[in-house]
């Protein structure tokens, strides 16, 4: 059994009065974000001007700022207090990512473009009933989910809940702690190559296709066009908006179903899963649209495998992105420098093996990942750490 944090999303059915309160809380969180960011920037400038050391970007700083803000704006008391503290936690995270060079400078949030949500910590004030959820400052809200999940919600530890407005619908996303049995060990390990034409190729030759959502995308475009021709907020407009949202949901659900299915299968089948490390920074710099979209798909795939491996007791590994997985012959190790970008098949000039480009790369990724793992294990053994026992790789070494 593995104790893990999981997300559980349920649809909410708030009445008019509650909708007002939820929207107020969403607005308050956005307002707080923008005000704290502004305040931090101003104080930072002032500090710098007077020659003080750098202004600390931590809980103490922001908590003081939040308390000041609350004194000036009464309506902030309509929010559950932990939801506003969550705002500065998110802001600190955003700054830390920026300081580490992993993200751009935190920006102000707009009502139109940013996510509409807020998060409440569970201090024992969140209650789950059969058909309703009791939330602090909001009251009792109807919700709907399957019987299985309803029972689960009543019996697990809830860390926090995020209330979200998404495509005209309200949701509660619970962060829960639950016990999950690990998947059976299979003593199998796999190297996976991520590609453009094919989403993923396994070293055993299995290819996982890219998901085709052209139909859903065309429908979304169609209704988007119709929307633009209708009078804003008229009844026709509202009807079309519903259909438009429906197609957005369908596309999202189709993508999620697909990725969940393939990644669960991989984690079930293999004890050690080895992939390439994706350079996240490069993703934002890539101007080619289809490459950019494909990188988003890879990231989704990799992230899912990573967290599922963790949950279900498997080993997830990434090898350096700069390892030349495509150009090395997986049979004899010859480095074939003349391999072209568009070549899907090639013959090794040294051992004459004919390679499928992606399968050859997957084989190399598997080999390299296992070598890395072996070296690491040896190092740990050298240091006398006998508790580290790598899965049974000896019995199935390549
Ligand atoms: Zn060769």
């Amino acid at each position: 059994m593995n104790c893990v944090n999981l997300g559980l999303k349920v649809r909410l059915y708030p009445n008019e009065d509650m909708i007002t309160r939820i929207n107020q809380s969403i607005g308050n969180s956005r307002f707080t974000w923008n005000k704290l960011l502004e305040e931090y920037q101003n104080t930072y400038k002032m500090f710098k001007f007077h020659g003080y050391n750098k202004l600390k970007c931590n809980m103490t700083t922001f908590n003081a700022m939040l308390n000041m803000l609350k004194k000036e704006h009464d309506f902030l008391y309509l929010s559950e207090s932990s939801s506003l503290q969550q705002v500065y936690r998110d802001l600190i995270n955003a700054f830390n990512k920026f300081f580490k060079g992993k993200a751009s400078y935190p920006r102000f949030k707009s009502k139109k473009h940013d996510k509409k949500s807020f998060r409440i910590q569970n201090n024992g004030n969140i209650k789950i009933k059969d058909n309703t959820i009791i939330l602090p400052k909001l009251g009792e809200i109807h919700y709907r989910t399957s019987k299985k999940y309803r029972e689960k919600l009543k019996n697990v530890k809830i860390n926090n809940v995020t209330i979200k407005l998404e495509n005209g619908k309200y949701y509660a996303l619970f962060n829960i702690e639950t016990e999950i049995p690990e998947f059976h060990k299979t003593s199998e390990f796999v190297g996976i190559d991520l590609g453009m034409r094919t989403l993923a190729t396994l070293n055993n030759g299995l290819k996982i296709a890219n998901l085709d959502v052209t139909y859903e995308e065309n429908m979304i475009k169609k209704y988007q066009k119709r929307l633009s021709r209708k009078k804003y907020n008229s009844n026709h407009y509202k009807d079309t908006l519903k259909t438009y949202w429906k197609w957005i949901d369908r596309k999202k659900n189709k993508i999620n179903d697909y990725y969940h299915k393939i990644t669960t299968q991989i984690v079930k089948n293999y004890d050690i899963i080895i992939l390439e490390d994706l350079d996240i920074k490069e993703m934002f710099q890539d101007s080619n649209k289809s490459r950019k979209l494909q990188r988003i798909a890879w990231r989704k795939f990799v992230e899912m495998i990573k967290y599922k491996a963790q949950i279900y007791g498997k080993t997830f590994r990434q090898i350096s992105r700069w390892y030349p997985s495509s150009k090395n012959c997986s049979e004899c190790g010859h480095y074939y420098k003349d391999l072209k970008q568009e070549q899907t098949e090639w013959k090794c000039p040294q051992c004459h093996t004919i390679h499928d480009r992606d399968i050859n790369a997957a084989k190399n990724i598997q080999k390299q990942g296992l070598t890395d793992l072996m070296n690491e294990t040896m190092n740990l053994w050298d240091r006398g750490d006998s508790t580290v026992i790598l899965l049974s790789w000896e019995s199935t070494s390549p």
Side-chain angles (χ1 to χ4, degrees), residues 329 331-334 348 350-353 355:
C329 170
E331 286 295 318
C332 71
H334 176 74
C348 174
Q350 193 166 288
C351 71
H352 309 296
T353 310
H355 287 300

Side-chain angles (χ1 to χ4, degrees), residues 155-214:
N155 296 308
V156 291
K157 187 183 165 212
I158 297 169
N159 292 324
N160 60 55
V161 57
T162 304
I163 309 295
K164 260 182 159 174
L165 171 61
E166 222 175 66
N167 298 334
K169 293 173 199 149
Y170 289 90
Y171 297 94
L173 182 65
F174 292 93
N175 179 304
I176 58 172
E177 259 174 47
T178 183
E179 294 223 310
I180 283 193
E182 293 187 350
F183 281 154
H184 287 293
K185 297 284 187 277
T186 60
S187 297
E188 298 280 338
F189 42 80
V190 68
I192 303 174
D193 175 64
L194 302 170
M196 289 295 291
R197 288 167 288 259
T198 319
L199 174 69
T201 303
L202 275 51
N203 63 282
N204 65 4
L206 187 75
K207 296 200 172 205
I208 300 166
N210 277 313
L211 178 66
D212 184 10
V213 281
T214 325

Side-chain angles (χ1 to χ4, degrees), residues 56 118 122 139 152 187 197 214 251 262-263 278 322 371:
K56 278 199 177 127
F118 63 95
N122 185 12
K152 201 173 183 76
S187 297
R197 288 167 288 259
T214 325
K251 182 188 160 192
I262 55 177
T263 53
L278 304 171
W322 308 111
T371 309

Side-chain angles (χ1 to χ4, degrees), residues 124-361:
N125 45 11
I126 297 171
K127 298 265 180 315
I128 311 289
K129 292 187 176 180
D130 265 337
N131 304 307
T132 56
I133 300 167
I134 301 173
L135 295 168
K137 301 256 179 174
L138 294 173
E140 203 162 349
I141 306 176
H142 277 273
Y143 78 100
R144 219 177 273 167
T145 185
S146 66
K147 198 180 168 206
K148 183 182 144 198
Y149 287 138
R150 198 166 53 230
E151 288 309 310
K152 201 173 183 76
L153 262 182
K154 284 201 258 173
N155 296 308
V156 291
K157 187 183 165 212
I158 297 169
N159 292 324
N160 60 55
V161 57
T162 304
I163 309 295
K164 260 182 159 174
L165 171 61
E166 222 175 66
N167 298 334
K169 293 173 199 149
Y170 289 90
Y171 297 94
L173 182 65
F174 292 93
N175 179 304
I176 58 172
E177 259 174 47
T178 183
E179 294 223 310
I180 283 193
E182 293 187 350
F183 281 154
H184 287 293
K185 297 284 187 277
T186 60
S187 297
E188 298 280 338
F189 42 80
V190 68
I192 303 174
D193 175 64
L194 302 170
M196 289 295 291
R197 288 167 288 259
T198 319
L199 174 69
T201 303
L202 275 51
N203 63 282
N204 65 4
L206 187 75
K207 296 200 172 205
I208 300 166
N210 277 313
L211 178 66
D212 184 10
V213 281
T214 325
Y215 180 66
E216 286 78 8
E217 271 168 1
N218 286 341
M219 294 307 273
I220 291 169
K221 266 185 218 153
K222 182 174 144 187
Y223 283 98
Q224 203 168 21
K225 225 178 243 171
R226 282 196 192 173
L227 264 183
S228 65
R229 277 189 248 116
K230 296 214 155 56
K231 192 171 163 251
Y232 181 71
N233 254 350
S234 64
N235 282 338
H236 282 303
Y237 180 92
K238 282 178 186 162
D239 283 345
T240 316
L241 189 63
K242 263 189 194 159
T243 322
Y244 168 72
W245 279 338
K246 185 187 86 186
W247 282 105
I248 287 186
D249 273 349
R250 279 206 186 166
K251 182 188 160 192
K252 206 170 108 188
N253 292 340
K254 191 174 168 182
I255 292 173
N256 277 336
D257 282 351
Y258 184 72
Y259 281 82
H260 272 303
K261 236 178 243 164
I262 55 177
T263 53
T264 300
Q265 204 55 45
I266 288 170
V267 176
K268 230 179 217 170
N269 290 349
Y270 300 98
D271 287 356
I272 304 178
I273 301 143
I274 304 151
L275 284 135
E276 284 168 290
D277 193 0
L278 304 171
D279 197 314
I280 308 296
K281 248 188 191 167
E282 203 190 326
M283 184 175 116
F284 294 109
Q285 285 156 5
D286 213 330
S287 57
N288 179 316
K289 203 187 165 205
S290 64
R291 271 198 81 84
K292 217 173 183 173
L293 286 176
Q294 191 66 352
R295 276 175 192 280
I296 293 170
W298 293 343
R299 229 174 108 184
K300 198 176 181 73
F301 179 77
V302 172
E303 285 303 317
M304 274 194 187
I305 290 188
K306 190 175 172 182
Y307 92 72
K308 283 182 186 176
Q310 206 178 3
I311 290 174
Y312 296 113
K314 302 294 183 97
T315 303
F316 167 86
R317 261 316 151 102
Q318 280 176 301
I319 62 158
S320 161
R321 215 187 157 272
W322 308 111
Y323 171 74
S325 55
S326 297
K327 292 184 178 179
N328 278 348
C329 170
S330 57
E331 286 295 318
C332 71
H334 176 74
Y335 180 73
Y336 182 53
K337 66 176 187 338
D338 296 327
L339 184 68
K340 305 264 184 314
Q341 191 67 47
E342 65 279 3
Q343 259 175 289
T344 54
E345 235 184 52
W346 60 284
K347 190 176 171 184
C348 174
Q350 193 166 288
C351 71
H352 309 296
T353 310
I354 295 171
H355 287 300
D356 171 286
R357 183 198 185 94
D358 300 337
I359 299 173
N360 178 60

Side-chain angles (χ1 to χ4, degrees), residues 37-76:
L37 181 56
E38 190 188 326
E39 185 65 26
Y40 183 81
Q41 286 177 345
N42 290 341
T43 318
Y44 180 85
K45 272 183 213 154
M46 198 182 73
F47 265 51
K48 225 179 153 189
F49 181 75
H50 291 287
Y52 287 110
N53 282 337
K54 216 172 91 183
L55 175 63
K56 278 199 177 127
C57 179
N58 60 18
M59 306 258 274
T60 321
T61 307
F62 281 111
N63 204 28
M65 287 178 183
L66 177 61
N67 285 336
M68 253 163 35
L69 206 59
K70 276 176 148 179
K71 275 182 196 146
E72 286 168 37
H73 305 279
D74 273 350
F75 58 84
L76 290 180

